[in-house]
Amino acid sequence: MTSIHLITRIKAPVQDVFDAARNIDLHQNSAYQTHEKAIAGKTSGWIELGETVTFKGKHFGIYLTHTSKIIKMEKPHFFVDKMIEGKFKSFKHLHFFEEKEGVTIMTDILEYETPFGFFGKLFDRLLLKNHLEKFLLERNQILKENTEI
């Protein structure tokens, strides 16, 4: 299993950052480089506990779909989305939010496993982990730009 751990500091109230992180429209705007679009389930607005969203996007030159479900949520401090259909063997994204002195500390922990044994692990080490980390960093920058006071 691979894990990516990112911390982003945003000068905004925790509720604003929490809401931005689960906003489907903002996610689509932040994923412009992969042309991601919500095509099923919740396709606009804030995703809530128990809801699903299916995104279609272009990664490594191929259009892929990925369906996630919000399996845990404690507003405005925590939520988890988990892949229920897609190309990964497993995929879970934990989102944590803590406000300190007017700054929200947003922590992303992305845990995933690739299929295809040795070849999947090699692909992950050579390309996939960097691709996903860059994707999250760009997403977090858009969240920051859209929520900072």
Side-chain angles (χ1 to χ4, degrees), residues 3-137:
S3 183
I4 296 171
H5 187 165
L6 299 175
I7 295 174
T8 307
R9 288 172 173 74
I10 302 174
K11 294 178 187 173
V14 68
Q15 185 69 53
D16 293 352
V17 178
F18 179 83
D19 287 343
R22 60 193 182 94
N23 185 301
I24 303 291
D25 304 300
L26 190 54
H27 177 83
Q28 290 177 113
N29 290 340
S30 73
Y32 63 90
Q33 72 278 16
T34 59
H35 310 287
E36 265 189 40
K37 297 292 175 206
I39 60 168
K42 181 79 172 185
T43 59
S44 185
W46 296 330
I47 193 161
E48 299 287 351
L49 180 64
E51 292 183 324
T52 64
V53 59
T54 301
F55 287 105
K56 180 179 180 180
K58 194 172 191 178
H59 297 267
F60 303 107
I62 302 166
Y63 277 99
L64 303 170
T65 59
H66 179 100
T67 303
S68 285
K69 181 177 184 173
I70 304 299
I71 60 167
K72 293 182 183 176
M73 183 179 288
E74 294 175 21
K75 294 179 181 181
H77 301 289
F78 175 74
F79 73 94
V80 178
D81 61 270
K82 183 177 180 182
M83 181 193 77
I84 58 173
E85 190 174 321
K87 299 300 181 193
F88 290 88
K89 189 173 182 180
S90 68
F91 186 100
K92 184 167 54 169
H93 189 174
L94 297 89
H95 309 255
F96 297 92
F97 307 86
E98 181 181 5
E99 188 173 346
K100 290 185 180 178
E101 300 175 10
V103 174
T104 297
I105 301 160
M106 180 175 73
T107 303
D108 290 284
I109 301 172
L110 179 61
E111 301 170 334
Y112 65 91
E113 268 185 284
T114 56
F116 310 120
F118 169 78
F119 295 106
K121 288 177 184 176
L122 182 62
F123 175 68
D124 185 31
R125 281 192 209 126
L126 294 176
L127 296 170
L128 183 59
K129 184 176 181 183
N130 288 334
H131 173 75
L132 291 173
E133 190 168 318
K134 181 182 177 205
F135 184 86
L136 288 175
L137 287 168

